mmCIF file with all atom_site columns, all heavy atoms in Angstrom:
data_model
loop_
_atom_site.group_PDB
_atom_site.id
_atom_site.type_symbol
_atom_site.label_atom_id
_atom_site.label_alt_id
_atom_site.label_comp_id
_atom_site.label_asym_id
_atom_site.label_entity_id
_atom_site.label_seq_id
_atom_site.pdbx_PDB_ins_code
_atom_site.Cartn_x
_atom_site.Cartn_y
_atom_site.Cartn_z
_atom_site.occupancy
_atom_site.B_iso_or_equiv
_atom_site.pdbx_formal_charge
_atom_site.auth_seq_id
_atom_site.auth_comp_id
_atom_site.auth_asym_id
_atom_site.auth_atom_id
_atom_site.pdbx_PDB_model_num
ATOM 1  N N   . GLU Z 1 7   ? -8.939  -14.237 -0.022  1.00 96.00 ? 7   GLU Z N   1
ATOM 2  C CA  . GLU Z 1 7   ? -9.286  -15.069 -1.193  1.00 96.00 ? 7   GLU Z CA  1
ATOM 3  C C   . GLU Z 1 7   ? -9.121  -16.526 -0.795  1.00 96.00 ? 7   GLU Z C   1
ATOM 4  O O   . GLU Z 1 7   ? -8.077  -16.914 -0.274  1.00 96.00 ? 7   GLU Z O   1
ATOM 5  C CB  . GLU Z 1 7   ? -8.351  -14.670 -2.348  1.00 96.00 ? 7   GLU Z CB  1
ATOM 6  C CG  . GLU Z 1 7   ? -8.193  -15.668 -3.466  1.00 96.00 ? 7   GLU Z CG  1
ATOM 7  C CD  . GLU Z 1 7   ? -9.459  -15.860 -4.289  1.00 96.00 ? 7   GLU Z CD  1
ATOM 8  O OE1 . GLU Z 1 7   ? -9.679  -15.086 -5.226  1.00 96.00 ? 7   GLU Z OE1 1
ATOM 9  O OE2 . GLU Z 1 7   ? -10.210 -16.808 -3.963  1.00 96.00 ? 7   GLU Z OE2 1
ATOM 10 N N   . ASP Z 1 32  ? -10.580 -16.965 4.523   1.00 93.00 ? 32  ASP Z N   1
ATOM 11 C CA  . ASP Z 1 32  ? -12.023 -17.017 4.775   1.00 93.00 ? 32  ASP Z CA  1
ATOM 12 C C   . ASP Z 1 32  ? -12.494 -15.691 5.362   1.00 93.00 ? 32  ASP Z C   1
ATOM 13 O O   . ASP Z 1 32  ? -11.688 -14.858 5.781   1.00 93.00 ? 32  ASP Z O   1
ATOM 14 C CB  . ASP Z 1 32  ? -12.361 -18.172 5.731   1.00 93.00 ? 32  ASP Z CB  1
ATOM 15 C CG  . ASP Z 1 32  ? -11.719 -17.985 7.084   1.00 93.00 ? 32  ASP Z CG  1
ATOM 16 O OD1 . ASP Z 1 32  ? -12.308 -17.278 7.923   1.00 93.00 ? 32  ASP Z OD1 1
ATOM 17 O OD2 . ASP Z 1 32  ? -10.606 -18.514 7.298   1.00 93.00 ? 32  ASP Z OD2 1
ATOM 18 N N   . VAL Z 1 49  ? -7.752  -6.558  -1.110  1.00 97.00 ? 49  VAL Z N   1
ATOM 19 C CA  . VAL Z 1 49  ? -8.268  -7.252  -2.287  1.00 97.00 ? 49  VAL Z CA  1
ATOM 20 C C   . VAL Z 1 49  ? -9.175  -8.357  -1.745  1.00 97.00 ? 49  VAL Z C   1
ATOM 21 O O   . VAL Z 1 49  ? -8.723  -9.229  -1.000  1.00 97.00 ? 49  VAL Z O   1
ATOM 22 C CB  . VAL Z 1 49  ? -7.127  -7.865  -3.130  1.00 97.00 ? 49  VAL Z CB  1
ATOM 23 C CG1 . VAL Z 1 49  ? -7.693  -8.661  -4.306  1.00 97.00 ? 49  VAL Z CG1 1
ATOM 24 C CG2 . VAL Z 1 49  ? -6.174  -6.770  -3.634  1.00 97.00 ? 49  VAL Z CG2 1
ATOM 25 N N   . SER Z 1 73  ? -12.425 2.155   6.544   1.00 82.00 ? 73  SER Z N   1
ATOM 26 C CA  . SER Z 1 73  ? -12.517 2.890   5.276   1.00 82.00 ? 73  SER Z CA  1
ATOM 27 C C   . SER Z 1 73  ? -11.413 2.513   4.298   1.00 82.00 ? 73  SER Z C   1
ATOM 28 O O   . SER Z 1 73  ? -11.248 3.143   3.260   1.00 82.00 ? 73  SER Z O   1
ATOM 29 C CB  . SER Z 1 73  ? -12.479 4.390   5.557   1.00 82.00 ? 73  SER Z CB  1
ATOM 30 O OG  . SER Z 1 73  ? -11.270 4.704   6.221   1.00 82.00 ? 73  SER Z OG  1
ATOM 31 N N   . VAL Z 1 89  ? -23.016 -3.877  -9.292  1.00 77.00 ? 89  VAL Z N   1
ATOM 32 C CA  . VAL Z 1 89  ? -23.698 -2.849  -8.508  1.00 77.00 ? 89  VAL Z CA  1
ATOM 33 C C   . VAL Z 1 89  ? -23.777 -3.276  -7.050  1.00 77.00 ? 89  VAL Z C   1
ATOM 34 O O   . VAL Z 1 89  ? -23.515 -2.489  -6.144  1.00 77.00 ? 89  VAL Z O   1
ATOM 35 C CB  . VAL Z 1 89  ? -25.114 -2.581  -9.085  1.00 77.00 ? 89  VAL Z CB  1
ATOM 36 C CG1 . VAL Z 1 89  ? -25.939 -1.710  -8.146  1.00 77.00 ? 89  VAL Z CG1 1
ATOM 37 C CG2 . VAL Z 1 89  ? -24.995 -1.911  -10.451 1.00 77.00 ? 89  VAL Z CG2 1
ATOM 38 N N   . GLU Z 1 90  ? -24.061 -4.553  -6.832  1.00 80.00 ? 90  GLU Z N   1
ATOM 39 C CA  . GLU Z 1 90  ? -24.160 -5.062  -5.460  1.00 80.00 ? 90  GLU Z CA  1
ATOM 40 C C   . GLU Z 1 90  ? -22.829 -4.896  -4.736  1.00 80.00 ? 90  GLU Z C   1
ATOM 41 O O   . GLU Z 1 90  ? -22.779 -4.477  -3.585  1.00 80.00 ? 90  GLU Z O   1
ATOM 42 C CB  . GLU Z 1 90  ? -24.566 -6.538  -5.485  1.00 80.00 ? 90  GLU Z CB  1
ATOM 43 C CG  . GLU Z 1 90  ? -24.957 -7.065  -4.126  1.00 80.00 ? 90  GLU Z CG  1
ATOM 44 C CD  . GLU Z 1 90  ? -25.143 -8.581  -4.116  1.00 80.00 ? 90  GLU Z CD  1
ATOM 45 O OE1 . GLU Z 1 90  ? -24.782 -9.248  -5.111  1.00 80.00 ? 90  GLU Z OE1 1
ATOM 46 O OE2 . GLU Z 1 90  ? -25.625 -9.078  -3.106  1.00 80.00 ? 90  GLU Z OE2 1
ATOM 47 N N   . GLU Z 1 192 ? 15.606  2.184   10.909  1.00 94.00 ? 192 GLU Z N   1
ATOM 48 C CA  . GLU Z 1 192 ? 16.664  3.216   10.890  1.00 94.00 ? 192 GLU Z CA  1
ATOM 49 C C   . GLU Z 1 192 ? 17.582  3.018   9.697   1.00 94.00 ? 192 GLU Z C   1
ATOM 50 O O   . GLU Z 1 192 ? 17.995  3.977   9.047   1.00 94.00 ? 192 GLU Z O   1
ATOM 51 C CB  . GLU Z 1 192 ? 17.516  3.127   12.163  1.00 94.00 ? 192 GLU Z CB  1
ATOM 52 C CG  . GLU Z 1 192 ? 16.877  3.764   13.370  1.00 94.00 ? 192 GLU Z CG  1
ATOM 53 C CD  . GLU Z 1 192 ? 17.537  3.290   14.663  1.00 94.00 ? 192 GLU Z CD  1
ATOM 54 O OE1 . GLU Z 1 192 ? 18.781  3.315   14.719  1.00 94.00 ? 192 GLU Z OE1 1
ATOM 55 O OE2 . GLU Z 1 192 ? 16.805  2.885   15.585  1.00 94.00 ? 192 GLU Z OE2 1
ATOM 56 N N   . ILE Z 1 195 ? 15.769  4.149   6.573   1.00 97.00 ? 195 ILE Z N   1
ATOM 57 C CA  . ILE Z 1 195 ? 15.671  5.613   6.554   1.00 97.00 ? 195 ILE Z CA  1
ATOM 58 C C   . ILE Z 1 195 ? 17.042  6.192   6.170   1.00 97.00 ? 195 ILE Z C   1
ATOM 59 O O   . ILE Z 1 195 ? 17.144  7.135   5.381   1.00 97.00 ? 195 ILE Z O   1
ATOM 60 C CB  . ILE Z 1 195 ? 15.219  6.152   7.945   1.00 97.00 ? 195 ILE Z CB  1
ATOM 61 C CG1 . ILE Z 1 195 ? 13.752  5.781   8.202   1.00 97.00 ? 195 ILE Z CG1 1
ATOM 62 C CG2 . ILE Z 1 195 ? 15.453  7.649   8.055   1.00 97.00 ? 195 ILE Z CG2 1
ATOM 63 C CD1 . ILE Z 1 195 ? 12.705  6.647   7.488   1.00 97.00 ? 195 ILE Z CD1 1
#
Side-chain angles (χ1 to χ4, degrees):
E7 160 68 86
D32 63 84
V49 176
S73 59
V89 170
E90 192 189 10
E192 281 163 48
I195 290 282

